[in-house]
């Protein structure tokens, strides 16, 4: 039976932690981008609705 060395465990944990952090960052950026896009669309829609009343 092959015994697992400490270096292998450390590198495996490092890779796992790195992937976890990368996934969280990707999700975070995606949510922020979507929020920004929909917020801008709402502001543009409100501006469009306000323009006829200004005239």
């Amino acid at each position: 039976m092959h015994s697992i060395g400490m270096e292998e465990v450390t590198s495996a944990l490092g890779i796992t932690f790195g992937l976890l952090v990368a996934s969280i960052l990707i999700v975070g950026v995606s949510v922020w981008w979507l929020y920004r896009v929909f917020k801008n669309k709402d502001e543009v829609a409100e501006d469009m609705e306000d323009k006829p009343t200004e005239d």
Side-chain angles (χ1 to χ4, degrees), residues 17-55:
F17 185 71
L19 289 173
L20 182 67
V21 169
S23 301
I24 291 171
L25 285 174
I26 289 168
V27 170
V29 169
S30 300
V31 169
W32 169 78
W33 185 80
L34 285 171
Y35 169 77
R36 195 180 55 129
V37 167
F38 282 112
K39 188 177 158 203
N40 288 343
K41 279 187 179 175
D42 289 345
E43 287 176 0
V44 169
E46 285 174 7
D47 289 345
M48 293 279 213
E49 290 171 4
D50 290 344
K51 277 182 182 170
T53 56
E54 289 172 2
D55 290 338

